């Protein structure tokens, strides 16, 4: 089976982020990396393609500039190719604008299954994959812990408030994957070398048949108009544990009458 | 015109509105909406009408029993159907729940309207609703608003508004709304429901939350977190690092990509305080941190910090509590 995985290249979360003071967009400077959250989807896609006796894993991504460094990581893990939609007009896109772009890109791949993370690490709206599903006219299952293919449908374990549901869903479908459910493979040296020559098909907004008004800040219909520092919390007492640190915790809880 | 009509996507658990639903109703009322109306589904809607009436909502839309279907597509289609037929709210509030996000996302794409997510505050300013969001671990607050025509869709994080302490009962008008043909989009069906037995209070409702992070060293040590939580009649939580490592399920995660908690006391054990985590617990009334790295960011926001090894402090704390 052929699987498309939506992946996002993000600024390294270990580096402090910032907003552009004028546009209030996230500053995406420096090298972009593959969002950790997406590695799980890539791993599951590779496993499903392998266990179904072949098929391709295609990455689908969007970035305002032609950045590919994060995509190469996922290609090195074993994905076959990537479709990257890159266009300056995409800057400031909201989740729906992003979904329009990804949906059009996915149509060009016609996969049996579309995977995505439940939410990105940087923007974390968590709505884009289901918006993609609606635009493609596909069913969707979010918060998947496990996916099994059964002929023309899939069986998904979906996290719920009380435990999990087993969900049956015909293909094609969109599934979002929670982090930590599989162990993403590390790219091998051979994989890293191979990734350098794997095809990355670059498209722009016009090439997807979308109009400028559907994407970017013009298509967003929402704006961040103010950013303030949050009120600081006062720092309390910090003590080195000398073996009696636990007693501090006990008396803290006693003072609050919680024990 | 003010804020106009505000709808709330409500959810029931054991026949009663969930805490999140009650929070959203309070939020909608606080905006000064001309009317607050709730969209509900499931076999128990009629039985919950009294309590909903007691919250002061003016109308309940009953989508009915969806059987085994996942709720995202049918509820979104039912709401879109109302909007198309001229019965449109000015705004709709959704909880950041498993199903709330699904419905909001489907509806957004269906009616070609954006959705503002991860709201930690909503306030009326004239005819506009201004949403607040935590950025960079809660060190900054961004304010956003819609620039175009509604209906405006907002996904609101838990604990943004306070649910009322006690609930009365009153009658309320109820109207059935139907689900149009969904085609392929409605094809996902639950075939089995698994309830994992968990004792103690729920993570986002517990007065005390005890969370563990990578400083625990290995997954077996998470048992200390569970034991301490149980002793304090609290709930165990986790940082993203140990959820990603597969030590505990996603449902335990506190943070940006997890639950928002605001307990009376939050005890962070072996958690350094990555921005990802802080955003989900910074609103706790009191924070206790135990971490061996004295420079860990968690110590910049805590009320009591113990610089020490969790493997020594936690067993001593557990013993002391047991011996009381």
């Amino acid at each position: 089976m052929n699987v498309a995985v939506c992946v996002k290249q993000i600024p390294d979360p270990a580096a402090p982020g910032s907003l552009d003071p004028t546009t209030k967009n996230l500053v995406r400077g420096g090298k972009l990396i593959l969002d950790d959250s997406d590695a799980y989807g890539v791993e599951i896609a590779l496993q499903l393609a392998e266990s179904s006796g072949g098929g391709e894993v295609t990455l689908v991504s969007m970035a305002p500039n032609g950045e590919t460094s994060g995509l190469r990581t996922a290609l090195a893990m074993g994905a076959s190719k990537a479709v990257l939609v890159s266009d300056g007009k995409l800057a400031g896109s909201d989740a729906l604008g992003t979904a329009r772009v990804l949906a059009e890109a996915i149509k060009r791949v016609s996969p049996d299954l579309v995977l995505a993370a439940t939410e990105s690490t940087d923007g974390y709206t968590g709505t884009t994959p289901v918006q993609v599903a609606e635009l493609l006219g596909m069913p969707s299952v979010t918060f998947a812990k496990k996916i099994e293919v059964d002929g023309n449908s899939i069986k998904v374990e979906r996290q719920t408030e009380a435990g999990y549901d087993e969900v049956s869903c015909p293909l094609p479908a969109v599934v979002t994957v929670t982090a930590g459910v599989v162990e993403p493979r590390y790219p091998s040296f051979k994989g890293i070398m191979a990734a350098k020559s794997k095809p990355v098909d670059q498209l722009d907004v016009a090439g997807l048949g979308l109009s400028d008004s559907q994407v970017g800040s013009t298509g967003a219909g929402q704006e961040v108009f103010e950013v303030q520092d949050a009120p600081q919390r006062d720092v309390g007492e910090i003590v080195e544990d000398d073996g009696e640190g636990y007693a501090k915790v006990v008396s803290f809880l006693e003072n609050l009458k919680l024990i | 015109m003010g804020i106009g009509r505000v709808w709330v996507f409500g959810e029931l658990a054991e026949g009663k509105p969930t805490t999140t639903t009650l929070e959203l109703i309070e939020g909608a009322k606080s905006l000064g909406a001309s009317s607050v109306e709730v969209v509900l589904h499931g076999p128990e809607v009629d039985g919950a009408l009294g309590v909903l009436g007691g919250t002061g909502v003016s109308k309940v839309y009953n989508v009915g029993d969806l059987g085994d279907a996942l709720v995202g597509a049918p509820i979104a289609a039912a709401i879109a159907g109302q909007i198309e037929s001229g019965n449109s709210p000015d705004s709709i509030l959704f909880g950041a729940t498993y199903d709330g996000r699904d419905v909001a996302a489907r509806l957004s794409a269906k009616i070609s309207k954006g959705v503002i997510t991860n709201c930690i505050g909503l306030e009326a300013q004239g005819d506009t609703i201004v949403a607040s969001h935590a950025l960079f671990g809660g060190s900054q607050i961004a304010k956003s608003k819609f620039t175009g025509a509604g209906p405006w869709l907002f996904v609101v994080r838990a604990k943004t508004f306070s649910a009322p302490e006690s609930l009365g009962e009153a009658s309320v008008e109820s109207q059935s709304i139907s689900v149009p043909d969904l085609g392929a989009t409605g094809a996902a069906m639950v075939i089995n429901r698994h309830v994992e037995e968990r004792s103690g209070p729920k993570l986002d409702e517990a007065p005390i939350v005890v969370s563990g992070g990578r400083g625990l060293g290995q997954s077996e040590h998470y048992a200390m977190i569970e034991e301490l939580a149980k002793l304090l009649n609290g709930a165990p939580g986790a940082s993203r690092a140990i959820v990603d490592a597969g030590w505990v399920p996603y449902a335990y995660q506190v943070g940006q990509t997890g639950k928002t908690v605001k307990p009376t006391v939050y005890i962070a054990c072996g958690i350094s305080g990555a921005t990802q985590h802080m955003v989900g617990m910074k609103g706790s009334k009191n924070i206790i941190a135990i971490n061996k790295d004295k420079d860990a960011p968690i110590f910049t926001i805590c009320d009591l910090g113990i610089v020490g090894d969790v493997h020594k402090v936690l067993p001593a704390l557990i013993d002391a509590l047991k011996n009381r």
Side-chain angles (χ1 to χ4, degrees):
Chain A
M1 71 188 288
N2 293 319
V3 186
V5 189
C6 301
V7 297
K8 190 168 180 184
Q9 305 176 95
I10 62 168
D12 190 339
S18 63
L19 293 189
D20 182 294
T22 316
T23 64
K24 309 283 195 297
N25 292 336
L26 264 176
V27 175
R28 294 179 194 279
K31 193 179 164 195
L32 300 182
I33 63 167
L34 179 70
D35 187 342
D36 264 352
S37 309
D38 292 330
Y40 305 97
V42 173
E43 177 60 39
I44 290 177
L46 292 170
Q47 288 180 13
L48 291 175
E50 284 157 11
S51 66
S52 68
E56 277 191 329
V57 174
T58 306
L59 309 170
V60 179
S61 191
M62 153 178 150
N65 55 15
E67 180 72 39
T68 60
S69 55
L71 292 177
R72 296 290 171 200
T73 306
L75 291 169
M77 286 172 71
S80 305
K81 61 186 198 294
V83 178
L84 174 65
V85 184
S86 206
D87 196 319
K89 291 168 183 162
L90 295 172
S93 292
D94 69 348
L96 182 57
T98 305
R100 287 178 180 134
V101 167
L102 294 177
E104 285 303 321
I106 290 165
K107 279 184 195 166
R108 282 157 173 75
V109 183
S110 21
D112 303 301
L113 175 65
V114 180
L115 295 183
T118 52
E119 59 212 338
S120 64
T121 301
D122 60 346
Y124 73 103
T125 65
T127 53
T128 306
V130 175
Q131 289 167 320
V132 167
E134 179 65 28
L135 294 170
L136 293 173
M138 290 184 192
S140 55
V141 185
T142 48
F143 295 98
K145 306 199 309 174
K146 191 176 174 190
I147 306 170
E148 280 172 38
V149 179
D150 179 13
N152 286 325
S153 68
I154 45 173
K155 201 169 88 180
V156 180
E157 289 183 7
R158 180 186 191 238
Q159 180 85 49
T160 63
E161 202 58 59
Y164 69 94
D165 287 346
E166 277 174 62
V167 178
S168 171
C169 184
L171 295 173
V174 175
V175 178
T176 74
V177 178
T178 58
V181 292
V182 287
E183 182 76 36
R185 65 194 69 182
Y186 283 105
S188 64
F189 178 71
K190 205 173 138 195
I192 293 167
M193 295 311 288
K196 292 184 181 181
S197 56
K198 285 181 176 172
V200 176
D201 189 8
Q202 294 220 21
L203 292 164
D204 59 16
V205 171
L208 286 176
L210 290 170
S211 75
D212 295 355
S213 64
Q214 292 175 290
V215 298
S217 45
T218 39
Q222 54 181 265
E223 62 172 8
V224 174
F225 63 94
E226 190 180 291
V227 179
Q228 302 167 332
D229 285 336
Q232 295 273 332
R233 280 187 79 105
D234 291 331
V235 182
E237 187 188 6
I238 310 283
V239 295
E240 293 267 352
D241 179 39
D242 53 2
E244 298 292 317
Y246 75 91
K248 288 271 182 197
V249 179
V250 171
S251 55
F252 190 93
L253 296 172
E254 273 173 346
N255 286 340
L256 291 168
K257 300 191 168 43
L258 287 165
I259 53 173
Chain B
M1 59 157 265
I3 297 308
R5 292 167 70 197
V6 177
W7 287 10
V8 167
F9 166 69
E11 295 176 79
L12 301 177
E14 289 157 6
K16 297 194 185 77
T18 60
T19 307
T20 299
T21 303
L22 297 171
E23 288 169 8
L24 293 180
I25 291 170
E26 285 307 296
K29 282 157 67 181
S30 76
L31 291 169
S34 60
S35 70
V36 178
E37 303 165 27
V38 183
V39 180
L40 285 176
H41 65 94
E44 298 172 310
V45 173
D46 287 338
L49 288 177
V51 175
L52 281 154
T55 65
V57 304
S58 42
K59 194 165 181 180
V60 169
Y61 293 99
N62 184 355
V63 188
D65 187 358
L66 302 173
D68 293 322
L70 289 188
V71 309
I75 301 276
I79 295 174
Q82 290 300 305
I83 293 169
E84 278 155 26
S85 68
N87 180 26
S88 179
D90 295 288
S91 295
I92 309 179
L93 311 188
F94 303 85
T97 60
Y98 296 103
D99 288 338
R101 280 196 340 190
D102 277 9
V103 178
R106 281 267 168 202
L107 180 61
S108 156
K110 214 174 234 319
I111 64 174
S112 269
K113 298 285 179 189
V115 51
I116 292 185
T117 50
N118 285 306
C119 304
I120 57 162
L122 292 178
E123 57 180 318
Q125 283 186 7
D127 295 345
T128 298
I129 295 177
V130 172
S132 308
H133 314 268
L135 288 181
F136 310 124
S139 59
Q140 291 188 309
I141 305 287
K143 297 205 168 182
S144 68
K145 63 182 183 196
F146 284 104
T147 52
W152 295 333
L153 312 180
F154 297 94
V155 178
V156 181
R157 291 186 71 104
K159 307 291 159 200
T160 296
F161 301 102
S162 300
E165 301 265 323
S166 62
L167 294 171
E169 298 232 349
S171 64
V172 63
E173 182 192 353
S174 161
Q175 179 189 331
S176 290
I177 59 174
S178 59
V179 178
D181 179 32
L182 299 172
T185 61
M189 294 288 162
V190 177
I191 49 176
N192 232 325
R193 294 179 203 270
H194 296 261
V195 175
E196 286 164 358
E197 286 302 328
R198 242 177 271 161
S199 55
K202 285 166 72 179
L203 179 56
D204 46 5
E205 290 172 12
I208 300 185
V209 172
V210 185
S211 283
R214 204 171 355 219
L216 290 169
Q218 57 195 79
S219 64
E220 293 72 30
H221 295 164
Y222 189 79
M224 291 192 293
I225 301 298
E226 286 176 316
E227 187 173 9
L228 182 57
K230 199 170 175 193
L231 281 167
L232 294 170
N233 201 17
S239 72
R240 174 169 173 177
I242 71 167
V243 173
D244 282 6
W247 294 6
V248 291
Y250 177 79
Y252 286 64
Q253 188 170 319
V254 173
Q256 175 181 298
T257 50
K259 292 225 157 64
T260 304
V261 298
K262 290 189 176 178
T264 310
V265 177
Y266 187 86
I267 308 180
C269 309
I271 291 176
S272 63
T275 53
Q276 149 73 236
H277 187 71
M278 305 256 248
V279 93
M281 44 67 78
K282 216 181 164 191
S284 305
K285 287 184 197 72
N286 296 279
I287 297 171
I288 300 175
I290 306 167
N291 198 300
K292 66 179 174 195
D293 175 10
K294 67 173 172 40
D295 297 321
I298 192 82
F299 288 127
T300 65
I301 62 158
C302 68
D303 301 281
L304 173 63
I306 309 292
V307 182
D309 186 348
V310 287
H311 302 99
K312 290 181 180 148
V313 180
L314 286 180
L317 180 58
I318 287 167
D319 272 351
L321 292 170
K322 275 185 181 164
N323 291 331
R324 288 172 64 86

